[in-house]
Amino acid sequence: MNTERDSETTFEEDSQPNDEVVPYSDDETEDELEDQESTVEPEQNRANREAEENREPFRKECTWQVKANDRKYHEQPHFMNTKFLCIKESKYANNAIKTYKYNAFTFLPLSLFEQFKRAANMYFLVLLILQSVPEISTLAWYTTLVPLLLVLGITAIKDLVDDVARHKMDKEVNNRTCEVIKDGRFKIAKWKDIQVGDVIRLKKNDFVPADILLLSSSEPNSLCYVETAELDGETNLKFKMALEITDQYLQREDTLATFDGFIECEEPNNRLDKFTGTLFWRKRSFPLDADKILLRGCVIRNTDVCHGLVIFAGADTKIMKNSGKTRFKRTKIDYLMNYMVYTIFVVLILVSAGLAIGHAYWEAQVGNYSWYLYDGEDATPSYRGFLNFWGYIIVLNTMVPISLYVSVEVIRLGQSHFINWDLQMYYAEKDTAAKARTTTLNEQLGQIHYIFSDKTGTLTQNIMTFKKCCINGQIYGDHRDASQHNHNKIEQVDFSWNKFADGKFAFYDHYLIEQIQSGKEREVRQFFFLLAVCHTVMVDRNDGQLNYQAASPDEGALVNAARNFGFVFLTRTQNTITISELGTERTYNVLAILDFNSDRKRMSIIIRTPEGNIRLYCKGADTVIYERLCRMNPTKQETQDALDIFASETLRTLCLCYKEIEEKEFAEWNQKFMAASVASTNRDEALDKVYEEIEKDLILLGATAIEDKLQDGVPETISKLGKADIKIWVLTGDKKETAENIGFACELLTEDTTICYGEDINSLLHTRMENQRNRGGVYAKFAPPVPEPFFPSGGNRALIITGSWLNEILLEKKTKRSKILNLKFPRTEEERRMRTQSKRRLEAKKEQRQKNFVDLACECSAVICCRVTPKQKAMVVDLVKRYKKAITLAIGDGANDVNMIKTAHIGVGISGQEGMQAVMSSDYSFAQFRYLQRLLLVHGRWSYIRMCKFLRYFFYKNFAFTLVHFWYSFFNGYSAQTAYEDWFITLYNVLYSSLPVLLMGLLDQDVSDKLSLRFPRLYVVGQRDLLFNYRRFFVSLLHGVLTSMILFFIPLGAYLQTVGQDGEAPSDYQSFAVTIASALVITVNFQIGLDTSYWTFVNAFSIFGSIALYFGIMFDFHSAGIHVLFPSAFQFTGTASNALRQPYIWLTIILTVAVCLLPVVAVRFLSMTIWPSESDKIQKQRKRLKAEEQWKRRQNVFRRGASSRRSAYAFSHQRGYADLISSGRSIRKKRSPLDAIVAEGTAEYRRTVES
C-alpha cells in the first residue's frame, strides 16, 4: 500500500509552520513550492517523467507574452478566445473597468428579467393573464395591473439610480489620464484606452493605471518610490528598481518609442508579492521579479518621472484579481420572507381548492335545481368548480401582498438615507460622511454575530509616535518640568530652539530636554545619536525642509524623534552619514550596515568617528538584545522594569546598545564580512553568521517606547460591541507580536486573558480528531452529536494564530506533486475505486477538521489571525458563515481586504487616506472604526425592529382584508363573488393602509439612540431572531384570521332582519360591503397606532389622513357624476351616502372596531406589566436614564515580568534600504552622457564574460 500512498496527493506534514512569513497565495504553483527543496529524483521518477514528456510536449508556466509598442501583435488570431458562438475577443483585457449592470439598450429587458425572477412578481403576471380570461375573471384586470406597474416602476427607478451612480464612478476612473507613446511621441490618453504593450509615463503623485514593468525613472539607478495604501493600507513608502539595462538605454522619449522588448511571464493571478517573467531584448534575456513591477492602485511618491511597460490591464491586474467574486447579498429576513410567501402560496391554493370543491358540491345540490340561477350554459358542476378554483385564486390574490416588496424597498431606501445623513457619523477632518452604498442590507446590520476587522488603517491610524524612553535606567516621557517634578497640568515642550524641529512632534517631559542640553549624562546624548545614525532611512530636501523616507513608520518615528531632540539626520552617501548634533554638523564614515530581517529582529551600523574610533550601534527586540549584552550592564534590571511598564501601557518597545571595536578586531571581521557578501550560495545565512560574531558584548543604553496610535474610540467601540454579544476577530498581515500588542491596546485582550497559539490549537484539534475517529463506528451515525467544549467553562480565552499555522490546521497546505508520476494508461476499476475513496476520506477529514477549528475559535472571546493573505481572510469569514450559520460583517480599508469584504454578509470600507478600493467594494463606508458602534447598535437595531414590525403588520392587514372573501363564500354558494367593491380592492394596499405602515418602518424606535448605545444588550433580540420568525408569522396570520371573522360576522349579525331609520332595510350587498370596508380601514389604521412606539406628528397625520382619504375617495367613487362618465367601472352609485347616514351602521362599525382592538390592548397591557422586555423596562425609565453614561477605559494593571506580550516589532516587516545605501544606487549623482554609459556597460559586460 506504500505505492498507493505515494501516488496520492498528500498534505505536507513534515514542515513546521513559520510564524514570521506570510503563506503562499492560492495561485502558487507546485513547481514554486518544490523549488524550496532540493531532493534527489528517484530513477523510477526520472523514467516516468521522460516517458511523460515524450508523450506530449511540456507546457511552461510563462505563457503570457507582451510585445512593447506593438498593439497589433496582441490581436493575432492565436490570442483570440471565443466569447459567444462566432464572436471572439482578445485574451488581453483592455484597461476599462466596468462595475455597472445596464446600458441604454439592456436596462429595460434586464431589469424586467431580474424583477420577474421574484416569485411574487411572476405570480402577479400570471394572475393578470388569468384576469383577462372572461370565464374565470371575478375581478377587473386593473385591480392587478395598477399595483404591478407601481411595483415594477419603483424598483426599476431605484435600480436605474444605483446603476447611474456606478456609471459615474466607472467613468471617473476610466477617464483619468496619463501619457502614452503613440506615433513615436508621448500623448495624453485616457486610462480606458491603455492596452497591454503600451509604454507610459507617470509623474509624482500619479496613480498607476495598470500593472507595469518599471523601465526607468528620474531617480538614481531608476529607483521608484511607491505608496501601496490602496493595496494593503500601509502608508510607508516601498521602492521598486528597474533593470540596469533599461535604466541605461530607456531614459529619452525617442529610445522609449523604439523600444521593442519582448516579455514572457506568468498568466494574470492574485499574487501581490510575486512575479515571474523574462525580458528578451538586444539578443539577451533578463529575469523579472516583483521588485520591478508597479501594481495598479499604487501611487508614485518622491519620484518626478518614471516610465513603464503595461503587462496586465483592467480585469487582469492583480488588484482586480484580488477583489474576489462579486456576490449578490440578501438578508436573512429576505430569505425568511420568501419562504413565508411560498407558505402563503400553498395556503392560497388549498383554500381555493377547498372553496372550488364546495362550489361543485353546491352546484350539484342547489344550483342545478334553482331555475332563477340558470346562466344559459349547461356546464357540469365539476367544470364550474374548476373555473371557480381560478376565480378564487384571483379573488384571494391579495393574500400574497404585491405591494410588500415595493414597500420593503422604500423603507430600506429611507433607512439608507438616514445613515447618509447622520451627522454623528460624519468625519469633519476628512470631510467624509457615512455612506450606505447598498439599500438592501440595512436590517441585517441589527443581526451581526461576528465582526472581522483588518488592523492597519482600520483599528490603527498607521501613525507611530515616540511616547517614552528609558535611558540609563531612568524613564522619560511623563509630565515633568525641568526640575524633575511631576505636574497634572499638561504643558508641551517648546522645540523652538531647534531649527530642524518639524513642529508636529508633541512631548511633555521638560526634564529630558534639560538633560540633553546640559550634557550631564553622556548616555542621554548617545541614546539620541544612536537613533539618528542607526537606520536605513533616506532623506530628501524640499524647500529647505527635511523629508524622511522610511521602510516602516516605526523607523521613521524614531529618526524623527531624534531630529526633534537635536540629533538630526541630514544626509548620507554610500560610505558616509552626516548628523547635526545640537547644531554642530559632523560626518561619520559608515563601515558596514547589518540590516534587519525577521529572524535577526535587530539592525546594526558600524561607523568610524572623526576622531578615528570605531563603534557599533545596534537596536532591536529586547529578546535578542539581552542575549548579546556583556555581563557588566548596571542598568539591565532597571531597563527590564521599564520595558514591562511600557508593555503594560501597550507601547511598542525597542532596546538600544553599542560597543567599541578595536581596529584589529574590525579588520579581521571585515574580511569575513566581505567574503560572505560575495558568497554565491546561501549568502543570507553566511551574512547572518558573520553578523553574530560582531554583535556581542554590547553595552545597554536604554529602550524606546512607540505608540502605534489607535483610531479614536476604538477600545470603547470594541467594549460596547462585546457587551452586545458580538465577537470581534482581527485578520491582519502584520506580525504576531504587533497584532498581539494592538489586541491589548484596543482591549480586545486583557491581562486575565489566556492566549492560545497555533501549536496549542493544533494539539487540541489533533486530540479531538482522534477521539472522533475512535468514537466513529457502525453505530456512530445513529447517535445524536453531543456538543463537547474544547475548554472548561469560565475563564477568558483568546486565540492568536498565524497564516502558516492556519494552513496547517485547516489542512489547506499546498500539495506536493506526487513522487511517482502517474502515466496516462487505464487503471483497473479497483484502483480507481480506491483512489476515489481516498480522496473522499481526505475531504471528509478536512471538513471535520475545519468544523472543529471553527467550534474551538468560537469558544474564545477574541481571535487574532496574523500574517494572513487576502484569500485566507476570505476563507476564515467563509468558514464561520458555513459552519456557524452566523451573520458576519467584515471591515477593512485596503485592497487586501476586498475579498473578505465581499465574502461577509455585510462589508464595510474605511474611507480616508488609505485609498478607495475597499470602499468601492463595500456595502457601507465611513471614515473611522468608532462609527461602527452607531451603525450597528443604533441604525442596525432600529432597522431590524422597524422591518420586523412592518412585516408582521403587513401580513396581518392583508389576511384581515382577504379572508373576509373566504367567510362570505359560505353565504354566496362559493361563487367567488367579492365582498368589496373592485376599486376598494385596488386601492386598499396602495392608498388606504400604506402610508402609516411605511412611516412606522421608517421612523419608529423603541428607545433613543443614546439609550441604544448605553444598553448594548438591547441588540441581542436581532441576533436571536426574536422579532420575526415563523412563530411570529403564524401569530400575525392568526390575528388576521380572527380580525377577518370579526369584520364579517358582526356586520352580518347586525344586518340580519334590520330596518333603517326611514323604514328601509339597509341590508343590501353594497351597503354591507361599505360597512365591512369602513370597519376594516379604521381597524387596521388604529392597529398601526397600537404598534407604534415613537409618535410624531407625521405618524398621527398619516393614520387619520388615511382614514379621511378612504372616506373622501369612497364618496367620490360612489357619486352619480362619475357613474355617468364611467358606468361600467363605477357601479356603487349612491351607496356610501345612503348607508352611512344610518346611525345603526355607524354603531355597527364602532362595535366591530372595538371588538377587534380591545383584546389587543388587553394583551399588550398584560405583557408589558407581567413579562416586560428589556426595551419595555428602559422605556419606563427613559427620563431617568437620559444622561448618557461615560465610558471609562480599563485601568492597566502593571505586573512585573509581563514581557511575554511585549511587541518585538524590530522596526520593519521587510528588509530595509541597507543594500541600496551600501551599493550607492540610491545616491543622486550627475548622469553620464549616453555614449559613456554605453561604453561603460559594454566594458562591464566583457569583464563579466571573461570572468
Side-chain angles (χ1 to χ4, degrees):
M1 298 306 290
N2 288 336
T3 304
E4 181 207 343
R5 175 172 174 78
D6 288 341
S7 66
E8 290 179 6
T9 300
T10 57
F11 293 107
E12 293 182 30
E13 296 176 352
D14 52 345
S15 59
Q16 184 78 355
N18 186 345
D19 285 342
E20 294 296 334
V21 300
V22 179
Y24 54 82
S25 78
D26 286 2
D27 288 339
E28 199 130 20
T29 63
E30 292 171 342
D31 292 330
E32 289 173 311
L33 290 172
E34 290 195 333
D35 285 344
Q36 307 295 328
E37 300 179 13
S38 56
T39 55
V40 179
E41 184 179 33
E43 181 64 25
Q44 182 62 46
N45 275 17
R46 189 182 60 77
N48 287 343
R49 178 174 54 77
E50 289 174 358
E52 182 70 14
E53 288 176 353
N54 292 332
R55 182 179 287 267
E56 65 179 293
F58 177 68
R59 185 172 177 82
K60 292 183 178 179
E61 181 200 359
C62 295
T63 58
W64 190 263
Q65 298 177 342
V66 178
K67 185 78 179 290
N69 290 316
D70 190 353
R71 289 191 172 185
K72 290 183 179 179
Y73 176 82
H74 306 104
E75 296 171 0
Q76 295 180 75
H78 59 276
F79 291 136
M80 294 293 177
N81 296 327
T82 302
K83 184 179 179 183
F84 178 72
L85 297 178
C86 60
I87 301 174
K88 293 189 174 183
E89 67 175 6
S90 173
K91 77 170 186 175
Y92 298 97
N94 61 39
N95 205 41
I97 298 298
K98 174 188 169 186
T99 61
Y100 60 84
K101 292 162 60 178
Y102 312 114
N103 58 37
F105 300 103
T106 61
F107 171 68
L108 196 60
L110 285 181
S111 177
L112 290 174
F113 175 74
E114 286 289 329
Q115 292 197 61
F116 281 117
K117 286 202 292 188
R118 276 182 171 168
N121 288 344
M122 183 56 72
Y123 163 73
F124 280 103
L125 181 63
V126 172
L127 196 69
L128 186 61
I129 296 169
L130 290 175
Q131 284 181 299
S132 63
V133 180
E135 286 81 6
I136 61 175
S137 180
T138 52
L139 280 174
W141 54 268
Y142 53 77
T143 58
T144 299
L145 180 64
V146 172
L148 182 60
L149 287 178
L150 195 66
V151 169
L152 297 178
I154 290 176
T155 307
I157 290 170
K158 176 183 161 294
D159 283 347
L160 181 62
V161 170
D162 287 347
D163 212 52
V164 166
R166 293 191 198 99
H167 269 278
K168 286 181 179 177
M169 188 170 290
D170 289 349
K171 189 175 180 181
E172 180 187 343
V173 173
N174 291 332
N175 287 340
R176 290 177 181 172
T177 59
C178 74
E179 295 180 83
V180 180
I181 283 191
K182 289 183 180 177
D183 303 324
R185 298 192 61 185
F186 278 112
K187 296 181 180 179
I188 299 294
K190 295 179 179 178
W191 277 23
K192 64 182 179 182
D193 298 326
I194 295 172
Q195 293 185 18
V196 171
D198 286 351
V199 174
I200 65 175
R201 177 159 67 192
L202 300 172
K203 297 179 180 177
K204 184 190 282 189
N205 299 328
D206 281 353
F207 277 93
V208 180
D211 290 354
I212 65 175
L213 169 67
L214 180 63
L215 298 176
S216 61
S217 80
S218 56
E219 292 295 298
N221 296 285
S222 286
L223 279 174
C224 180
Y225 300 98
V226 293
E227 184 183 277
T228 59
E230 185 99 5
L231 298 177
D232 54 21
E234 294 184 5
T235 53
N236 53 293
L237 299 185
K238 299 176 177 63
F239 68 86
K240 305 287 183 178
M241 190 163 60
L243 288 166
E244 187 175 352
I245 186 77
T246 59
D247 169 51
Q248 289 178 352
Y249 294 109
L250 299 178
Q251 291 290 346
R252 298 203 308 262
E253 184 178 51
D254 56 341
T255 57
L256 286 162
T258 57
F259 176 55
D260 60 350
F262 182 78
I263 292 175
E264 277 191 355
C265 64
E266 61 191 15
E267 291 284 323
N269 57 66
N270 67 350
R271 290 173 289 175
L272 291 170
D273 58 340
K274 290 198 176 180
F275 179 82
T276 305
T278 305
L279 169 64
F280 299 92
W281 189 42
R282 293 180 170 240
K283 299 181 181 180
R284 292 176 62 189
S285 61
F286 307 90
L288 303 177
D289 56 27
D291 289 336
K292 297 169 181 61
I293 303 297
L294 305 184
L295 300 183
R296 179 182 176 123
C298 296
V299 183
I300 307 297
R301 299 291 191 204
N302 298 349
T303 306
D304 294 331
V305 174
C306 68
H307 306 105
L309 171 67
V310 177
I311 296 178
F312 302 129
D316 292 335
T317 57
K318 291 181 181 289
I319 193 173
M320 298 303 293
K321 287 288 183 183
N322 258 296
S323 63
K325 187 184 292 184
T326 300
R327 294 168 171 84
F328 178 66
K329 296 182 179 181
R330 299 177 66 187
T331 66
K332 198 173 183 179
I333 283 182
D334 262 336
Y335 288 110
L336 192 58
M337 193 165 65
N338 272 353
Y339 284 123
M340 290 173 178
V341 168
Y342 296 146
T343 303
I344 295 174
F345 279 154
V346 173
V347 171
L348 173 63
I349 292 169
L350 292 176
V351 169
S352 299
L355 294 174
I357 292 168
H359 181 72
Y361 177 78
W362 184 88
E363 277 289 334
Q365 298 296 320
V366 179
N368 284 347
Y369 303 104
S370 303
W371 58 269
Y372 56 88
L373 295 177
Y374 182 65
D375 57 2
E377 294 185 12
D378 298 321
T380 62
S382 58
Y383 179 69
R384 288 180 181 273
F386 172 75
L387 294 179
N388 250 37
F389 170 76
W390 297 108
Y392 270 113
I393 290 287
I394 295 171
V395 169
L396 301 176
N397 75 80
T398 48
M399 201 181 286
V400 180
I402 187 172
S403 57
L404 172 65
Y405 290 101
V406 71
S407 301
V408 166
E409 294 297 332
V410 170
I411 289 172
R412 285 173 172 167
L413 185 64
Q415 289 168 348
S416 298
H417 282 300
F418 290 150
I419 293 172
N420 297 346
W421 296 336
D422 192 343
L423 289 177
Q424 294 189 54
M425 295 171 68
Y426 170 74
Y427 190 52
E429 278 188 37
K430 301 286 184 183
D431 189 27
T432 305
K435 175 73 174 173
R437 300 174 58 81
T438 181
T439 58
T440 58
L441 302 172
N442 297 325
E443 65 272 12
Q444 191 124 299
L445 290 170
Q447 297 181 281
I448 303 297
H449 293 87
Y450 292 88
I451 292 175
F452 300 90
S453 174
D454 179 41
K455 182 194 79 70
T456 307
T458 304
L459 297 177
T460 66
Q461 300 179 38
N462 202 28
I463 297 174
M464 306 299 168
T465 308
F466 184 89
K467 296 294 284 187
K468 293 185 178 184
C469 60
C470 173
I471 307 173
N472 205 21
Q474 172 76 41
I475 294 177
Y476 299 93
D478 296 324
H479 298 162
R480 294 189 296 184
D481 60 21
S483 304
Q484 206 176 352
H485 295 118
N486 289 333
H487 284 284
N488 292 327
K489 183 182 178 182
I490 298 175
E491 190 174 333
Q492 194 167 313
V493 170
D494 181 14
F495 289 103
S496 59
W497 54 272
N498 181 2
K499 67 177 182 179
F500 292 106
D502 65 358
K504 300 176 183 177
F505 183 70
F507 201 73
Y508 301 95
D509 193 341
H510 295 257
Y511 182 61
L512 179 57
I513 303 298
E514 172 66 23
Q515 290 289 84
I516 292 172
Q517 292 177 338
S518 68
K520 292 177 183 177
E521 289 195 30
R522 176 174 168 272
E523 289 82 359
V524 173
R525 291 190 176 184
Q526 278 278 77
F527 182 92
F528 287 104
F529 175 78
L530 189 154
L531 293 181
V533 77
C534 182
H535 56 77
T536 58
V537 172
M538 288 183 280
V539 67
D540 187 22
R541 281 181 182 264
N542 285 328
D543 301 326
Q545 295 293 320
L546 295 174
N547 294 317
Y548 292 144
Q549 301 160 12
S552 76
D554 313 64
E555 191 163 41
L558 294 174
V559 176
N560 195 53
R563 164 188 177 175
N564 283 279
F565 285 113
F567 291 81
V568 187
F569 163 51
L570 295 177
T571 184
R572 75 184 333 142
T573 67
Q574 181 176 351
N575 300 313
T576 66
I577 184 167
T578 302
I579 308 294
S580 171
E581 302 174 29
L582 298 175
T584 304
E585 285 193 20
R586 287 168 64 88
T587 299
Y588 298 85
N589 290 327
V590 177
L591 303 179
I593 297 178
L594 286 57
D595 201 7
F596 161 85
N597 65 37
S598 57
D599 293 325
R600 285 168 41 76
K601 297 184 180 179
R602 65 192 183 278
M603 81 154 287
S604 301
I605 186 169
I606 302 175
I607 63 170
R608 187 189 299 274
T609 67
E611 294 76 23
N613 299 323
I614 300 176
R615 194 172 290 155
L616 178 144
Y617 290 100
C618 179
K619 62 181 182 181
D622 61 303
T623 51
V624 295
I625 294 296
Y626 267 59
E627 295 172 356
R628 290 160 177 81
L629 295 178
C630 68
R631 293 185 179 180
M632 296 301 293
N633 264 292
T635 61
K636 188 173 180 180
Q637 185 56 49
E638 289 86 345
T639 306
Q640 180 70 54
D641 294 342
L643 288 168
D644 292 341
I645 293 172
F646 296 156
S648 70
E649 296 173 6
T650 67
L651 300 174
R652 297 166 67 153
T653 56
L654 198 67
C655 286
L656 310 185
C657 53
Y658 74 99
K659 71 177 284 189
E660 301 285 349
I661 303 177
E662 296 293 333
E663 190 75 42
K664 182 181 178 183
E665 180 188 357
F666 174 75
E668 293 175 357
W669 177 85
N670 194 44
Q671 286 183 352
K672 299 177 184 177
F673 173 64
M674 297 306 295
S677 299
V678 295
S680 57
T681 58
N682 300 324
R683 181 179 300 173
D684 289 342
E685 291 80 357
L687 282 171
D688 286 349
K689 188 175 180 181
V690 173
Y691 293 165
E692 284 285 346
E693 293 182 14
I694 198 75
E695 291 175 327
K696 60 185 179 181
D697 298 327
L698 304 173
I699 300 170
L700 184 64
L701 271 176
T704 60
I706 284 183
E707 179 185 29
D708 186 359
K709 291 194 74 171
L710 291 173
Q711 290 189 9
D712 295 338
V714 167
E716 177 188 2
T717 300
I718 288 176
S719 173
K720 285 191 174 177
L721 294 175
K723 290 175 183 175
D725 206 20
I726 299 173
K727 292 188 176 180
I728 298 178
W729 293 23
V730 177
L731 312 178
T732 177
D734 266 341
K735 293 188 310 174
K736 184 166 70 173
E737 295 92 341
T738 307
E740 184 176 337
N741 205 45
I742 289 297
F744 280 98
C746 65
E747 299 191 4
L748 198 60
L749 308 176
T750 60
E751 293 293 346
D752 58 348
T753 301
T754 304
I755 299 177
C756 303
Y757 297 100
E759 49 271 31
D760 311 320
I761 301 305
N762 196 35
S763 174
L764 283 169
L765 291 175
H766 182 74
T767 304
R768 174 61 58 88
M769 291 289 287
E770 288 295 325
N771 292 341
Q772 288 172 339
R773 190 180 296 113
N774 294 336
R775 283 200 301 265
V778 180
Y779 303 104
K781 62 178 73 174
F782 304 108
V786 180
E788 186 180 348
F790 284 87
F791 304 108
S793 58
N796 187 16
R797 289 177 180 81
L799 168 60
I800 297 180
I801 188 168
T802 60
S804 300
W805 270 112
L806 200 61
N807 279 344
E808 174 81 17
I809 287 170
L810 300 180
L811 302 182
E812 290 284 352
K813 293 194 71 176
K814 205 68 182 180
T815 54
K816 286 184 181 178
R817 185 168 291 168
S818 61
K819 295 299 178 187
I820 297 179
L821 294 173
N822 297 296
L823 301 183
K824 296 181 179 178
F825 55 84
R827 294 188 181 89
T828 65
E829 282 299 321
E830 181 66 18
E831 285 177 329
R832 288 177 180 169
R833 186 180 63 80
M834 291 180 66
R835 187 170 180 79
T836 303
Q837 287 180 352
S838 176
K839 285 184 177 179
R840 286 176 180 171
R841 282 196 301 271
L842 281 172
E843 285 300 316
K845 177 186 175 184
K846 179 177 174 180
E847 184 175 343
Q848 185 61 50
R849 178 104 166 180
Q850 290 180 345
K851 185 177 185 305
N852 288 343
F853 169 74
V854 173
D855 290 340
L856 185 150
C858 290
E859 286 185 28
C860 299
S861 58
V863 176
I864 298 176
C865 299
C866 41
R867 281 305 201 211
V868 288
T869 65
K871 286 280 187 184
Q872 285 180 310
K873 290 184 178 185
M875 179 186 70
V876 171
V877 176
D878 187 60
L879 287 176
V880 175
K881 282 175 64 178
R882 192 189 318 161
Y883 295 118
K884 282 298 177 184
K885 308 298 180 188
I887 306 299
T888 58
L889 179 147
I891 178 169
D893 68 311
N896 57 347
D897 303 314
V898 167
N899 212 343
M900 169 177 78
I901 285 171
K902 287 184 174 181
T903 303
H905 292 98
I906 292 177
V908 178
I910 299 289
S911 54
Q913 63 178 5
E914 294 82 7
M916 296 296 290
Q917 190 67 26
V919 170
M920 290 173 67
S921 304
S922 66
D923 305 304
Y924 300 88
S925 66
F926 41 70
Q928 294 281 290
F929 181 83
R930 67 177 183 270
Y931 297 147
L932 186 61
Q933 61 173 313
R934 187 167 181 84
L935 183 71
L936 300 186
L937 302 183
V938 178
H939 291 287
R941 201 180 71 84
W942 280 352
S943 296
Y944 172 73
I945 292 172
R946 290 164 179 167
M947 187 59 70
C948 292
K949 277 189 174 183
F950 165 80
L951 291 173
R952 295 201 308 262
Y953 174 79
F954 212 95
F955 287 125
Y956 152 76
K957 79 180 181 70
N958 273 63
F959 263 69
F961 163 64
T962 305
L963 290 181
V964 169
H965 298 302
F966 175 76
W967 307 118
Y968 185 46
S969 298
F970 293 100
F971 298 91
N972 63 17
Y974 311 99
S975 60
Q977 184 182 1
T978 59
Y980 310 109
E981 178 194 8
D982 286 356
W983 280 107
F984 177 79
I985 294 172
T986 304
L987 299 177
Y988 173 74
N989 275 320
V990 177
L991 292 178
Y992 301 153
S993 62
S994 60
L995 190 57
V997 70
L998 277 177
L999 288 174
M1000 183 184 72
L1002 286 170
L1003 304 175
D1004 201 44
Q1005 49 184 265
D1006 54 346
V1007 298
S1008 69
D1009 55 343
K1010 290 184 178 180
L1011 291 176
S1012 296
L1013 291 171
R1014 184 171 172 183
F1015 297 98
R1017 289 294 298 172
L1018 291 172
Y1019 188 82
V1020 174
V1021 293
Q1023 294 172 323
R1024 298 177 182 172
D1025 300 321
L1026 297 180
L1027 300 185
F1028 189 68
N1029 46 45
Y1030 259 103
R1031 188 181 71 82
R1032 291 276 194 165
F1033 170 67
F1034 284 115
V1035 167
S1036 297
L1037 295 196
L1038 181 62
H1039 186 195
V1041 170
L1042 294 175
T1043 301
S1044 67
M1045 288 180 66
I1046 295 167
L1047 287 170
F1048 178 79
F1049 285 106
I1050 288 182
L1052 179 68
Y1055 270 57
L1056 289 176
Q1057 301 175 352
T1058 58
V1059 177
Q1061 257 186 337
D1062 53 4
E1064 297 179 3
S1067 53
D1068 60 285
Y1069 159 70
Q1070 292 186 344
S1071 298
F1072 183 65
V1074 167
T1075 304
I1076 297 176
S1078 301
L1080 172 66
V1081 170
I1082 295 171
T1083 299
V1084 296
N1085 278 289
F1086 280 7
Q1087 178 66 47
I1088 198 76
L1090 293 176
D1091 290 341
T1092 300
S1093 302
Y1094 183 67
W1095 277 91
T1096 63
F1097 168 78
V1098 180
N1099 293 86
F1101 179 80
S1102 68
I1103 290 172
F1104 293 106
S1106 295
I1107 296 172
L1109 185 67
Y1110 158 71
F1111 281 109
I1113 291 177
M1114 181 178 65
F1115 277 106
D1116 196 33
F1117 280 5
H1118 291 189
S1119 65
I1122 201 166
H1123 174 71
V1124 170
L1125 293 174
F1126 308 100
S1128 60
F1130 300 93
Q1131 298 177 351
F1132 275 50
T1133 310
T1135 301
S1137 55
N1138 288 332
L1140 295 179
R1141 62 189 174 85
Q1142 302 282 351
Y1144 186 84
I1145 289 180
W1146 279 108
L1147 285 171
T1148 303
I1149 292 171
I1150 292 169
L1151 176 63
T1152 305
V1153 171
V1155 174
C1156 286
L1157 296 180
L1158 285 176
V1160 177
V1161 173
V1163 170
R1164 298 276 171 88
F1165 174 77
L1166 287 173
S1167 66
M1168 290 184 69
T1169 306
I1170 302 172
W1171 309 286
S1173 66
E1174 193 71 26
S1175 62
D1176 291 336
K1177 295 174 185 175
I1178 293 171
Q1179 276 181 333
K1180 289 179 183 177
Q1181 304 175 29
R1182 62 181 177 272
K1183 290 183 180 178
R1184 186 171 62 84
L1185 297 171
K1186 268 189 177 179
E1188 185 176 3
E1189 184 183 52
Q1190 292 296 314
W1191 177 83
K1192 294 180 181 178
R1193 189 179 180 91
R1194 185 185 290 111
Q1195 291 295 318
N1196 289 316
V1197 180
F1198 169 62
R1199 294 188 304 174
R1200 189 176 298 278
S1203 60
S1204 58
R1205 68 166 177 83
R1206 182 155 57 249
S1207 172
Y1209 63 94
F1211 28 146
S1212 182
H1213 304 150
Q1214 58 186 14
R1215 293 191 75 93
Y1217 298 148
D1219 56 340
L1220 286 177
I1221 296 164
S1222 57
S1223 66
R1225 287 175 290 175
S1226 65
I1227 311 304
R1228 289 186 180 275
K1229 54 190 173 187
K1230 188 176 180 181
R1231 189 174 296 282
S1232 304
L1234 184 63
D1235 295 339
I1237 292 174
V1238 173
E1240 185 183 345
T1242 307
E1244 179 67 28
Y1245 176 67
R1246 285 174 180 166
R1247 283 196 299 271
T1248 304
V1249 172
E1250 288 169 2
S1251 61

